[in-house]
Amino acid sequence: MVTLGQLWARRELALEIAVDPVGARSREVTIVHSSELPEVDEWLAGGEVLLTIGVGQDLTADSAGDYIARLKRVGVHALGIGLGRDLPSVELPPSLVDHARAHDLALFGVPEPVPFVAVVDAFTRMREEESNREVSRAGSAGRRFATALARQGPAALVAELSAALGSEVHFVSPTGRGLTGQNAPADVRAELIAEAVGTSLAPRLLRAAGGRYEAVPIGDDRVSGWILAGRDAAVASRTRGLLLATAAALLGLSVIDQPLSRGESTLFSTTLSASEARAEWVLRTGTPALSRAEFTIVGGVRGDGAEQLFGDLGGGTLTARAGSMIGVLHSGDPLVARVAEVTGVDRLFVKSLPLTQVHHTWTVWRTQNDTVNSDVRALLSVIDEAAAVRFVEEVLGALLASQDGQDLLVTLRSFIASGGVRDAVAAELGIHRHTVRARLQRIERLLGRDLSRPDTVHAVAIALELAEL
């Protein structure tokens, strides 16, 4: 940044300082420009150094006091007056100096023969020099970040970033779970969960009880982590942005986007004794043994976004999935409800249960879901065959007629059965998730439909059922 004091110190300008309020020299100047408009304050945003010779505003008149007051009110840092024998003022008017002192506005004269353009050029050069220094500092810090990451891992990079910014820094998961240290504060985690489901990968400013944080997302097509940095950093905003962007790019290399683990806890799949259930809880969560936990079952799940977030909440949370349902077993974590809220899933069941009853409860809900699917198939079986053929042709015709239709059809069936979880499709078919993505894009082009829309998925699912019947 360029301060008013640095601008005043330029010897070639020989500026005459008349009013120098306390703290004025340390203020960051955003721009230097000239204007003769008497109502120029309507066009200012704050942080300016304004230059004028007093053509539109008589600097000796009583109205000059109001002029000074308006400039101060909009945040002008200093007023410079052009002085010369052919200008309205040869020296600063004493009444103007008094008005500036009364309103605590920095005031200086630009003596003859220094033109205003020389002041503007000096500021511009100083800004460019500072910008180059910022880029150089950021480049040097980036090399330190890369070395720290390569030699000691993400925690060392985060420590280097914290030192460079002069503020507290955290590297956390999409839900705010600490990846190199402590979790983010609970209220910050609630905000991060909401931000993680958005489509923007731009930095966010979060306000929490502990202060303000800048949250910089890590990831390509979706958030896979966050850098949380306190807003009390002592570095210039441009340098700060460069440092955070560099750190985010490097940390992105350490966050591996792996498929969801499908190895669910035996608490969901097996009837266990009380001691076996407690031991399984400790083994799976790494938290102290307990005999009861809160069991939340959500429905209407599409894709793997909600499942990723539930599974990312950390210790004390276990998940299982059956089609469009997810079971979440936890020790009363309020963030479970937050994930359900921001992802738009339906909370079907919420109750505190003994761990020994989890398997039975989950089995009942899964059976009900399977029964509903069987009932749907029974209903579809009585539809007129000609109408069914027309519907299948209308929805799936282009896909069935394509040369790679069989592979695409298998992929589409797996996609529908898994509730839209692409990693599950890749695991079931034994193909790379990028192959799944490419196939789904081709399927959407052939169908002329968007598979992220619930109505499309319902229509395709019915067409697939009818095709089998």
Side-chain angles (χ1 to χ4, degrees):
M1 66 179 181
V2 178
T3 65
L4 179 60
Q6 291 172 325
L7 180 63
W8 278 355
R10 302 289 292 201
R11 292 183 178 181
E12 73 273 18
L13 299 179
L15 301 176
E16 301 175 2
I17 314 306
V19 180
D20 186 6
V22 175
R25 290 175 181 259
S26 63
R27 292 171 185 155
E28 180 180 0
V29 177
T30 58
I31 192 171
V32 177
H33 65 107
S34 62
S35 175
E36 301 305 322
L37 294 173
E39 307 295 335
V40 66
D41 55 295
E42 297 180 3
W43 305 95
L44 302 178
E48 298 92 350
V49 169
L50 181 64
L51 306 175
T52 183
I53 60 174
V55 172
Q57 168 64 54
D58 185 352
L59 301 178
T60 62
D62 292 339
S63 60
D66 177 65
Y67 176 70
I68 293 290
R70 287 186 282 110
L71 296 183
K72 179 66 176 181
R73 189 160 51 245
V74 297
V76 170
H77 284 341
L79 176 64
I81 308 300
L83 305 175
R85 286 167 296 183
D86 296 327
L87 300 178
S89 299
V90 176
E91 60 182 19
L92 290 172
S95 60
L96 184 68
V97 174
D98 291 340
H99 290 313
R101 286 197 180 112
H103 293 285
D104 216 27
L105 178 67
L107 179 68
F108 64 95
V110 182
E112 190 177 27
V114 178
F116 282 171
V117 69
V119 182
V120 175
D121 285 347
F123 171 76
T124 302
R125 289 196 304 272
M126 293 169 72
R127 282 286 296 269
E128 290 175 350
E129 292 167 0
E130 178 64 21
S131 178
N132 291 336
R133 286 193 294 270
E134 289 175 356
V135 172
S136 178
R137 286 197 296 268
S140 177
R143 289 189 289 273
R144 293 198 307 274
F145 295 169
T147 300
L149 179 64
R151 293 180 177 177
Q152 298 174 278
L157 187 158
V158 171
E160 286 283 354
L161 177 61
S162 178
L165 292 177
S167 67
E168 184 180 9
V169 176
H170 299 280
F171 177 35
V172 298
S173 74
T175 64
R177 176 175 50 83
L179 296 177
T180 59
Q182 296 181 341
N183 295 341
D187 52 350
V188 174
R189 293 192 70 181
E191 293 299 319
L192 290 178
I193 289 170
E195 296 292 343
V197 302
T199 57
S200 172
L201 291 176
R204 282 81 151 169
L205 182 61
L206 306 180
R207 291 177 173 83
R212 297 190 305 162
Y213 296 88
E214 185 171 0
V216 181
I218 295 170
D220 294 326
D221 53 352
R222 65 179 175 186
V223 175
S224 56
W226 299 95
I227 294 176
L228 281 181
R231 288 293 295 175
D232 55 347
V235 300
S237 58
R238 177 179 171 82
T239 302
R240 174 189 176 87
L242 290 171
L243 292 174
L244 287 171
T246 301
L250 290 169
L251 287 173
L253 301 176
S254 69
V255 180
I256 302 174
D257 187 14
Q258 296 179 336
L260 284 167
S261 172
R262 297 287 158 181
E264 67 183 37
S265 168
T266 54
L267 286 167
F268 295 98
S269 59
T270 308
T271 301
L272 302 175
S273 67
S275 60
E276 290 171 335
R278 287 194 297 270
E280 172 69 4
W281 174 267
V282 173
L283 175 66
R284 289 285 186 164
T285 67
T287 61
L290 46 76
S291 58
R292 301 179 67 90
E294 188 159 316
F295 194 21
T296 300
I297 298 176
V298 299
V301 179
R302 294 291 311 146
D304 61 356
E307 189 176 5
Q308 290 275 7
L309 292 178
F310 281 125
D312 183 60
L313 291 175
T317 303
L318 298 175
T319 63
R321 180 159 185 173
S324 62
M325 291 196 312
I326 297 176
V328 186
L329 192 63
H330 57 103
S331 54
D333 189 347
L335 294 178
V336 172
R338 179 62 169 167
V339 171
E341 175 190 355
V342 301
T343 55
V345 297
D346 303 319
R347 286 204 288 173
L348 307 175
F349 177 86
V350 179
K351 189 174 182 179
S352 176
L353 292 176
L355 292 180
T356 54
Q357 294 183 15
V358 172
H359 170 235
H360 172 73
T361 304
W362 182 234
T363 301
V364 169
W365 278 93
R366 290 186 62 172
T367 302
Q368 290 177 347
N369 186 60
D370 291 342
T371 300
V372 169
N373 290 338
S374 298
D375 291 342
V376 169
R377 173 164 285 206
L379 178 63
L380 293 177
S381 66
V382 301
I383 293 178
D384 177 71
E385 183 174 351
V389 169
R390 286 196 301 272
F391 184 79
V392 171
E393 177 62 26
E394 178 183 342
V395 177
L396 302 176
L399 186 150
L400 296 174
S402 66
Q403 291 183 348
D404 52 350
Q406 188 57 41
D407 286 341
L408 298 180
L409 191 61
V410 170
T411 303
L412 182 58
R413 290 187 190 280
S414 179
F415 178 78
I416 297 295
S418 69
V421 181
R422 298 184 181 189
D423 289 338
V425 176
E428 180 184 345
L429 302 183
I431 57 179
H432 196 278
R433 58 191 178 90
H434 292 324
T435 303
V436 174
R437 179 186 299 176
R439 286 186 182 181
L440 290 175
Q441 290 174 345
R442 175 157 169 74
I443 289 170
E444 287 183 324
R445 288 195 297 270
L446 288 170
L447 301 182
R449 298 170 183 261
D450 182 358
L451 289 175
S452 67
R453 292 177 55 88
D455 56 340
T456 294
V457 173
H458 292 157
V460 170
I462 291 173
L464 288 172
E465 292 287 352
L466 288 172
E468 284 190 4
L469 292 173

